[in-house]
Each structure stands twice: as structure tokens, then as C-alpha cells.
Amino acid sequence: MRLCKAMEDTYKHSEMRHLEEKLQEHQDRRVRMIITDGVFSMDGDLAKLDEVAALAEKYDAMVFVDDSHATGFIGRTGRGTHELFDVVGRIDIITTTLGKALGGASGGCVSGRRELVEMCRQRARPYLFSNTVAPVIVSGALKVLALISRNTERRDKLEWNTKYWRKLLTEAGFDVKPGASPIVPVMLYNAKLAQDVARDLYEEGIYVVGFFFPVVPKGQARIRTQLSAAHEKEHLDRAIEAFIKVGKKYDIMGKGKKEIIAQYGL
């Protein structure tokens, strides 16, 4: 947005009424584009793409979705959040990564109508002034796309792992952000607590990362757990044992935001 010097404005997270107000406010602009993540990386919640697409059509706006945290596993065949919300063909631009579900490599892509893609090839500075993606990464990404297009076995397993892990954490008494994506945040609210819990879990053989301000808002410190299709049930069972052990040490199980803040502060 800065490079093309477009005017920018913001709307409140997933609040469609506020988005509609902004679209009404900017009806005099030549072009309007709604930009959103498909899956929001810190909370693991999903954009309301069906409602976003409906508003875009109502107010003659384009829709731009960054689906980096959804490509390959969200939706019935893993095409992404636009498939999950049944708006395939109604999203103008989708950006995604060749990392994460597509193998963890570098690079990414912009997809959309041929005219838009061609314009990016000719005018987009990050594309024009960057080295091309290495052939070995291209080859690996194409192989991954072929694998996940063949069947939904990996995607289905990841969905099962996600539901099972959320169930384990919830039943154990951890404060878990609601959602359906494989990003499952365990809320701790205190930055030092998040770091201490992550350190102790690592000593138990479980690698997690504590996130705190400025990565997330103040008072929203957490441990972000992420599921993989490579996880087996025994891995998740072992992980919950470690979480329970460390959770008991810090006396955080069965406690919500108010109780944890009262105990550890912000």
C-alpha cells in the first residue's frame, strides 16, 4: 500500500458493520479494495469471507485475501478459506506462501485474474527487484501441490489433530482461544509467565513459543501451539501431559483471564 501510495483506512477486526460503514464512507473513490487475512495468525480465527464478499459486491469493491495460514488444509479439499466459505471465484486477489503447509520453504505467490497477475509482473516492485525463486523450491512446491491435490488424507488428519488437541487443552482447564484452525493459542496474559511456561515445556521436550507485546497487544500474552498432519495421537497425548505438569507448577489450570491477571498481573 505504501509503495503504490494508495489511501488506506482500517476496520475493526471481523466487525462487518464497521467495514460497511467504511465502504460507504469511501464510495467516492475510483477503486476500493478490502484486504484481510484468511486465517489470523495469532488468534487462529477465520475471516468472515462470505460476508466480506457480499459487502464487496454490494459496494463495488475488490477483495484481497492473504491466505498464507490456510493454503493446503483449510476447506474441503484444502484450497483455503475461500473454499471453506464457498466464495471461490468471488475473491479478486489471493496471496499465499510457499512455506507453511507447502513445505516450509521461502517464496510465495499472487493469484488472481490474468490481468492483475500480469500487472504485478510489470509493475510490482517487490517482484521486479527480487531474485527469482530457486528452482529447487519451485520443484518442491509443485510436488507438494500434487500431493495435496491427489487426496485429502493429510488435510483430514490435520483436522482431526486440531479437534483432538483443542479438546485435550480445554478438558485440562487451559484458557484456549476458540476457533477451528490448527493455530491454537493458550492464553496466559502475562509476558513473563508466557516465557517461563514455554521454557519449562521445552525442558519437558515440547517446543512452543511464548508471544507477547509488541507481537500481540499488551495483556494478551500467550503460547501459540500449532498442529501438523505429521503429529500422531501419541505425540499430542505426550504434549498434554507436559502441559498439565507445567500448568500445575504455575497454578494456571482452570483459571480464566481475571484469575491469571490477579495472580501474575499484566
Side-chain angles (χ1 to χ4, degrees):
M1 287 187 285
R2 292 191 182 105
L3 284 172
C4 72
K5 297 179 174 61
M7 176 185 175
E8 56 186 276
D9 203 344
T10 59
Y11 62 96
K12 295 176 182 177
H13 180 68
S14 287
E15 291 196 14
M16 296 298 102
R17 184 176 297 178
H18 192 224
L19 172 58
E20 185 167 14
E21 290 173 2
K22 292 294 184 179
L23 288 167
Q24 292 169 347
E25 181 181 335
H26 297 297
Q27 276 299 288
D28 60 330
R29 302 296 168 180
R30 184 171 63 89
V31 177
R32 290 160 299 283
M33 178 180 287
I34 304 167
I35 302 177
T36 182
D37 286 0
V39 174
F40 297 97
S41 62
M42 285 298 129
D43 287 344
D45 57 329
L46 280 65
K48 301 171 183 175
L49 280 193
D50 50 347
E51 297 181 47
V52 169
L55 284 173
E57 289 161 1
K58 180 178 179 180
Y59 292 98
D60 190 25
M62 300 173 71
V63 181
F64 180 133
V65 177
D66 178 355
D67 226 20
S68 296
H69 287 87
T71 300
F73 55 91
I74 295 291
R76 186 176 59 83
T77 64
R79 279 175 164 77
T81 49
H82 58 308
E83 180 181 52
L84 179 68
F85 286 97
D86 195 26
V87 291
V88 173
R90 296 167 65 190
I91 307 300
D92 298 283
I93 301 173
I94 298 174
T95 59
T96 193
T97 176
L98 299 181
K100 299 182 174 66
L102 299 188
S106 62
C109 69
V110 176
S111 62
R113 291 196 299 274
R114 186 179 301 276
E115 295 85 353
L116 288 169
V117 172
E118 186 61 27
M119 184 177 71
C120 286
R121 287 197 176 110
Q122 300 299 326
R123 303 291 296 274
R125 294 184 200 179
Y127 177 83
L128 292 172
F129 299 107
S130 296
N131 289 331
T132 186
V133 178
V136 66
I137 293 175
V138 174
S139 178
L142 289 172
K143 181 64 175 179
V144 171
L145 286 170
L147 287 171
I148 62 178
S149 298
R150 192 174 302 155
N151 59 58
T152 63
E153 180 181 345
R154 292 174 177 82
R155 177 231 168 255
D156 297 342
K157 184 180 178 185
L158 177 57
E159 182 179 39
W160 187 91
N161 283 348
T162 299
K163 291 178 179 178
Y164 184 63
W165 180 239
R166 285 186 175 275
K167 177 174 177 286
L168 290 177
L169 286 171
T170 303
E171 290 180 350
F174 290 97
D175 187 355
V176 178
K177 280 269 188 180
S181 83
I183 298 171
V184 186
V186 179
M187 301 304 296
L188 296 172
Y189 305 104
N190 178 280
K192 185 176 185 305
L193 177 62
Q195 294 174 79
D196 290 344
V197 170
R199 181 199 62 232
D200 287 5
L201 284 169
Y202 185 77
E203 292 175 356
E204 295 293 326
I206 307 299
Y207 178 60
V208 294
V209 177
F211 286 94
F212 44 89
F213 183 82
V215 180
V216 295
K218 287 184 178 179
Q220 292 293 312
R222 69 197 62 189
I223 284 175
R224 186 179 70 170
T225 64
Q226 294 175 257
L227 282 301
S228 165
H231 287 131
E232 303 295 343
K233 180 177 179 295
E234 54 265 31
H235 297 145
L236 303 181
D237 290 338
R238 179 185 170 202
I240 198 62
E241 289 176 4
F243 264 83
I244 290 172
K245 179 179 178 180
V246 175
K248 287 180 177 178
K249 174 182 176 180
Y250 291 97
D251 191 25
I252 56 176
M253 294 164 61
K255 295 184 177 179
K257 180 178 181 179
K258 290 182 179 179
E259 293 86 352
I260 294 176
I261 291 175
Q263 185 174 354
Y264 288 97
L266 289 175

